[in-house]
Each structure stands twice: as structure tokens, then as C-alpha cells.
Amino acid sequence: MTLTGVGVLLIGVAFIVIAIFVAHVLNNLAGVLQGVEKTVNQFPKQMDDILKETGNLIEESNHTLRDINDKMQQLSPMFYIMGDVGNVTRKFSSSLVDVTDSLKMKTGEANEVTKKNKLGGAYGSFALGYYWLQKRREQKKAEQGGVAGRGSNE
């Protein structure tokens, strides 16, 4: 064998090694592609399941929303009542403030009388009680006069 024959023999052996390596790589690639094929074949079934579950979720959401709307319609009168109670409470508390202010003014008048007459201690308390008693009698007389006047007009 000549040098050319040895070279051709080496080239042939190299081609065989390369062919075996390429065959091994192609075999592994074929296995990967078979796995991809199985996954792709399962994909439509998985998508159908996902879409079915999504449809069920939307249906349940609509049912829940309808239920919430029904309950809100049932509760709305209660909210109106609570608003009315709030308004009544506000009006009542403002009238209490007016009554408190008037009592404060009346008490201030009694204090002025006490200071004016230089009444203090127990004597001042008795004088204040007497002053309130007089004011109350005057108020009752005024109310009785108003009631009697109304009775005669009817």
C-alpha cells in the first residue's frame, strides 16, 4: 500500500466515525421530536379542558354576580332607612344643642342674679332654686294660657 492508499483508508475511517456520530445525534434528535409530537398531540385536549374550565368559571362568576345584585336590592331599603335614621338623629341632636344653649343662658341669668345680689354658698343655692321655681311657674302659666286660648278658638 502506498501512501495514497493509507490516506484514502484514513479518510474512509474518518467518514465512518463522522457517520456514526451524526447517526447518534440524529437518533437523539428523533427522540426529542417524538416527545414534542406527544406534547403537541396532547395540546388540543389540554386546551379543550382549559376552555371548559374557563367557561365554568365565567358561569359561576355570573351566578355570583346575580346573587350579589339580588342581595343588594334586598338591602337597599335598609340603607335608606339608615340614612333616614341618621337625618333624624342629626335633627334631634341639633334640637338638644338648642335646648342646652337655652338652659345655659337661663343658668347664666341666674348666675348674674346671684352675683348681682352677692349671694354665695348655701344661701345662693337656695336663691337660685327659688329663681328657677319662679321661672318654671311663669312658664307653666304661659303654657296654660296658650292651651286655654287654643281651646276657646276651636
Side-chain angles (χ1 to χ4, degrees), residues 84-128:
D84 292 343
V85 167
N87 287 335
V88 167
T89 305
R90 181 183 49 80
K91 289 177 183 175
F92 178 71
S93 63
S94 66
S95 67
L96 282 178
V97 167
D98 294 341
V99 168
T100 304
D101 286 342
S102 68
L103 283 176
K104 189 186 281 186
M105 288 176 57
K106 288 179 182 178
T107 305
E109 291 173 3
N111 285 339
E112 288 176 15
V113 169
T114 303
K115 286 179 184 175
K116 184 177 174 182
N117 293 332
K118 295 182 181 176
L119 302 173
Y123 181 69
S125 300
F126 289 123
L128 181 62

Side-chain angles (χ1 to χ4, degrees), residues 136-149:
R136 189 169 179 193
R137 286 180 184 163
E138 290 174 9
Q139 195 175 23
K140 282 185 179 179
K141 286 180 184 178
E143 287 176 1
Q144 288 176 355
V147 171

Side-chain angles (χ1 to χ4, degrees), residues 9 12 17 26 29 38-39 43 47 69 81-82 85 109 117-118 120 125 128 132 137 142:
L9 184 64
V17 170
L26 289 177
L29 182 62
K38 287 179 184 176
T39 303
F43 186 69
M47 285 302 292
N69 285 335
I81 290 170
M82 289 171 60
V85 167
E109 291 173 3
N117 293 332
K118 295 182 181 176
S125 300
L128 181 62
W132 277 345
R137 286 180 184 163

Side-chain angles (χ1 to χ4, degrees), residues 39-91:
T39 303
V40 169
N41 286 339
Q42 292 174 358
F43 186 69
K45 183 181 180 298
Q46 290 173 348
M47 285 302 292
D48 287 343
D49 291 343
I50 289 171
L51 291 175
K52 181 180 175 183
E53 287 299 319
T54 304
N56 290 340
L57 179 65
I58 290 172
E59 184 178 333
E60 283 297 318
S61 298
N62 287 338
H63 175 71
T64 303
L65 189 59
R66 272 187 251 113
D67 188 41
I68 288 172
N69 285 335
D70 289 344
K71 289 179 180 174
M72 286 300 291
Q73 286 178 351
Q74 292 172 1
L75 285 177
S76 60
M78 188 171 75
F79 291 130
Y80 291 129
I81 290 170
M82 289 171 60
D84 292 343
V85 167
N87 287 335
V88 167
T89 305
R90 181 183 49 80
K91 289 177 183 175

